[in-house]
Amino acid sequence: MNTNQEKKSMFRYQGHNYLIPFLLISSLFFMWGFAHGILEVLNPHFQESFLISKTMSALTQAAVYGAYFLMALPAGWIIRKWGYRRGVITGLVLFGIGSLMFIPGSHINSFYFFVFSLFILGCGLTCLETSANPYTTVLGDPDKAESRINLSQSLNGIGWIVGPLVGGQLLFTGVDISIPYTVVGIFVLAVAFVFSFIKLPDPRRAYEADAQQKTAEVEISTLAFAMGMITLFLYVAAQTGVNSFFINYATETIHIPSKTASTLLAFGGMGLFFAGRVLGGIMMNYIRPRFVLLACSILAFVATTIVINCSGNISLAAFCGLYLGESIMFPTIFSLALRDAGTKTKLASSLLIMTIVGGAVAPVLMGYIADKTQDMAIAFVIPLICYAVIAIYAATRRK
């Protein structure tokens, strides 16, 4: 009886309790959530400051998400050679350096220097995500992996709330862009210093030994993992596209000020995004994760259809449904795809993190469509297609 209870405990596995390391590593999720959240405010801010098009401003997203593609395999190599802790510290240092580069950037006042700074910052985020996402999945019973990563990603959701809120309140009132990034940079480097003295347990040997026993009974499906990669690519493309142009949509279609739009993004959109991740993590203890993913992808598809075809308060309500639907998608797709990787957890994690490059593609496409058609709503057909594919993945994926 006790053995069975231990097996089903979320943070215990083979006699070890991983609650403390889970809490430590989960705290990092807030940091990159904040970095991504404030990035969505930078897009319209750069449009106004440098008088550039929506397509050009999308280079801010392309720099950060492009870094995921280029840095994911090196990050995976760091983790395989030196462990999760070194991967975390490397990510924090690069994150801090990229943030502090905004200090000279504010004096140079060059859009392309800011883009380069964001690329360095993105390299740091890549190391953090390559380390932290798979690490949460092995800190306890394998059957609770989706619940654990969704709970960790809940803190990521709080960061997404605070990011656009702080960014909107500061950048749309004329405050120097370097100020929030300087504070973030100093804080992140301080956290890196703390982590350099912390020992993190690495349960992968016991976990992978268990996985090897299972692979003798169930053949690993390369096709299933490939489909997970494609689906994750499309999700990040959709999420980034929606976040990047929410403020543009709100100001141009609903005719509200940028500062108000950033507040709505923080509390309305990201607030529901956070709530969805918490509820989703709890629900997956009782409902199969792929069924929750299917329901959420259908909700996001319907909501996006309304955004494209309607305006005013109806569109704002649809955006709320859209962010609620998006909430559990990344951690759930990530964890489901990782299940198909067997003992190759670290290499698979690097490959999955590379798919985040989808965030570099969608904003450029959506910006181009909006610039050519002069209609921001039409550009949301890009995330609409992505949600349709995600629903197909959830509906067809086997246990």
Side-chain angles (χ1 to χ4, degrees), residues 25 28-29 32 36 64-65 67-80 82-96 119-135 188 200 334 346 349-350 353-354 356:
I25 211 73
L28 302 176
F29 283 69
W32 76 70
H36 284 294
V64 173
Y65 292 100
Y68 278 87
F69 182 77
L70 297 174
M71 190 65 186
L73 288 178
W77 179 81
I78 291 170
I79 297 164
R80 288 193 299 275
W82 289 299
Y84 289 110
R85 187 173 69 94
R86 293 287 181 87
V88 166
I89 294 171
T90 303
L92 289 169
V93 170
L94 289 172
F95 184 1
F119 174 77
I120 300 300
L121 188 152
C123 288
L125 298 182
T126 306
C127 289
L128 283 179
E129 293 213 44
T130 306
S131 305
N133 279 307
Y135 192 50
V188 166
L200 292 177
F334 188 97
K346 292 182 176 179
S349 176
S350 297
I353 291 298
M354 287 179 72
I356 294 178

Side-chain angles (χ1 to χ4, degrees), residues 240-291:
T240 309
V242 170
N243 291 343
S244 299
F245 293 109
F246 173 85
I247 293 176
N248 283 111
Y249 181 95
T251 55
E252 297 172 16
T253 306
I254 310 176
H255 307 295
I256 58 178
S258 297
K259 187 176 178 181
T260 303
S262 67
T263 303
L264 286 173
L265 175 61
F267 288 114
M270 297 306 177
L272 285 169
F273 188 80
F274 163 70
R277 282 196 169 167
V278 174
L279 292 174
I282 296 172
M283 290 173 62
M284 287 179 199
N285 286 305
Y286 308 100
I287 303 172
R288 288 183 183 177
R290 72 182 187 93
F291 292 144

Side-chain angles (χ1 to χ4, degrees), residues 9-13 18 136-142 148 203 207:
S9 174
M10 185 177 292
F11 305 111
R12 293 188 67 86
Y13 189 59
Y18 296 112
T136 60
T137 66
V138 298
L139 290 175
D141 187 83
R148 279 194 303 276
Y207 201 85

Side-chain angles (χ1 to χ4, degrees), residues 43 183 186 208 210 216 228 244 249 270 298 306 309 334 354 363:
N43 200 312
V183 174
I186 294 172
E208 289 176 357
D210 186 54
S244 299
Y249 181 95
M270 297 306 177
I298 292 172
I306 296 172
N309 293 285
F334 188 97
M354 287 179 72

Side-chain angles (χ1 to χ4, degrees), residues 17 50 64 68 72 97 116-117 121 132 135 144 147 175 199 216 222 233-234 279 292 315 337 357:
N17 190 326
F50 295 103
V64 173
Y68 278 87
I97 291 172
F116 177 67
S117 303
L121 188 152
Y135 192 50
K144 303 293 184 181
S147 294
V175 174
K199 281 192 173 182
T222 304
F233 173 92
L234 293 175
L279 292 174
V292 180
S315 289
V357 73

